[in-house]
Amino acid sequence: MTVLMSADELEAELRSVGAARYHNRHPFHQLLHGGALNRRQVQAWALNRYCYQAAIPIKDATLIARTDDPDLRRLWRQRLIDHDGTAPGEGGIVRWLALTEGLGLDRDMVTSRTRALPATRFAVQAYVDFVRDRPLLEAVASSLTEMFSPTIISERVAGMLANYNFITKETLSYFNARLDQAPRDADFALDYVKRHARTPDQQQAVIAALGFKCDVLWAQLDALHHAYVMPGMIPPGAFGYRDTWS
Ligand SMILES: O=C(O)c1cc(C(=O)O)c2c(n1)C(=O)C(=O)c1cc(C(=O)O)[nH]c1-2
């Protein structure tokens, strides 16, 4: 039988999900940050991750569209501004494209998403669908992986700058803004979840939502690892598949 936890016990449970399942533990990230990948593999990571970046504002707009609480909408819309900017040429998506361009990838190829791995696209879409279809509380809770992102972002930036001569501070500038944005967003979402998860079932549901989101992130790295590290099975049509496609 599940029992009602205090808000602080719930937070501790959520943190233990992150400690066990967040994507900082994935071997692909360890290779990426440790300098063990070649330029082609880093390109594949950036190109695939563009799909995630592009989907984030869609899932945030979906969440905003689902709530009749003006306070929640007002707070959450900052996320749209962070990713889309307030004018063309601003925002996180453009900064991600600076990274892919810095890696020598064609912008149209990246934004078309046609050369991304099928599993990346499916995982990202599962996140958007989750936020559209599940109760609002779970939709908010699914963003809580951001509680853990500042640590991995710091490790990634330091590791990639130290280990790859084709990476510069400028190409990684996307992550600078995230170091302020992610804690702000995560603090709000965590406070919201702690206040609104008032029954044992709701508490279990928000823990499961965070687990689901860890799976979304993990599945993307599994796909990258399978295609570009071991056993190196690139799906037909994806980036790097035989010469005729690349
Ligand atoms: O670099 C990372 O490891 C990482 C992780 C996450 C995350 O934990 O979901 C996000 C981001 N970055 C990120 O840049 C970002 O904009 C973002 C938005 C969200 C979300 O769920 O709303 N997660 C993340």
Side-chain angles (χ1 to χ4, degrees):
M1 199 188 76
T2 50
V3 289
L4 186 66
M5 290 177 259
S6 69
D8 287 345
E9 284 167 340
L10 176 60
E11 177 175 343
E13 282 298 313
L14 292 165
R15 289 192 185 280
S16 75
V17 171
R21 296 173 60 178
Y22 193 52
H23 65 175
N24 63 319
R25 304 188 57 161
H26 197 285
F28 189 88
H29 265 160
Q30 286 161 15
L31 298 174
L32 176 70
H33 305 164
L37 301 182
N38 61 35
R39 187 164 178 268
R40 199 92 171 132
Q41 291 166 316
V42 177
Q43 285 177 324
W45 165 74
L47 171 141
N48 275 275
R49 167 121 181 204
Y50 174 80
C51 298
Y52 188 63
Q53 301 304 135
I56 291 291
I58 293 171
K59 78 91 187 163
D60 288 327
T62 302
L63 192 146
I64 290 169
R66 293 193 57 202
T67 176
D68 51 17
D69 174 355
D71 292 330
L72 181 57
R73 286 200 300 268
R74 193 177 313 107
L75 263 146
W76 213 269
R77 77 178 178 222
Q78 183 60 42
R79 294 169 178 248
L80 290 182
I81 295 169
D82 291 343
H83 288 277
D84 292 337
T86 49
E90 294 175 359
I93 293 185
V94 168
R95 282 197 293 276
W96 195 268
L97 290 171
L99 169 55
T100 55
E101 273 168 34
L103 285 167
L105 293 167
D106 178 73
R107 188 182 179 121
D108 290 343
M109 191 263 281
V110 173
T111 56
S112 77
R113 283 165 283 179
T114 53
R115 309 295 299 282
L117 297 167
T120 306
R121 286 186 262 120
F122 298 153
V124 162
Q125 187 59 40
Y127 186 25
V128 178
D129 294 348
F130 185 95
V131 167
R132 187 191 61 217
D133 297 337
R134 304 292 303 173
L136 186 66
L137 177 61
E138 292 173 45
V140 171
S142 66
S143 72
L144 285 177
T145 46
E146 284 191 279
M147 286 199 286
F148 316 111
S149 71
T151 308
I152 192 176
I153 288 175
S154 304
E155 285 166 10
R156 181 179 304 134
V157 170
M160 290 181 77
L161 280 176
N163 290 312
Y164 299 111
N165 59 12
F166 51 86
I167 291 285
T168 65
K169 252 192 154 120
E170 289 67 45
T171 50
L172 291 184
S173 76
Y174 170 79
F175 292 111
N176 295 341
R178 290 310 300 167
L179 288 173
D180 295 325
Q181 294 164 356
R184 178 206 63 205
D185 292 347
D187 286 352
F188 173 78
L190 179 61
D191 179 64
Y192 183 97
V193 164
K194 284 165 78 176
R195 282 187 292 114
H196 289 83
R198 294 198 204 97
T199 69
D201 284 351
Q202 287 173 328
Q203 292 183 334
Q204 291 308 314
V206 297
I207 292 166
L210 177 57
F212 161 81
K213 173 66 173 309
C214 288
D215 290 345
V216 166
L217 297 174
W218 196 274
Q220 292 175 67
L221 296 173
D222 276 352
L224 280 168
H225 206 276
H226 189 263
Y228 299 107
V229 182
M230 285 267 285
M233 279 175 57
I234 303 175
F239 177 72
Y241 181 75
R242 301 217 185 105
D243 290 335
T244 48
W245 286 92
S246 53

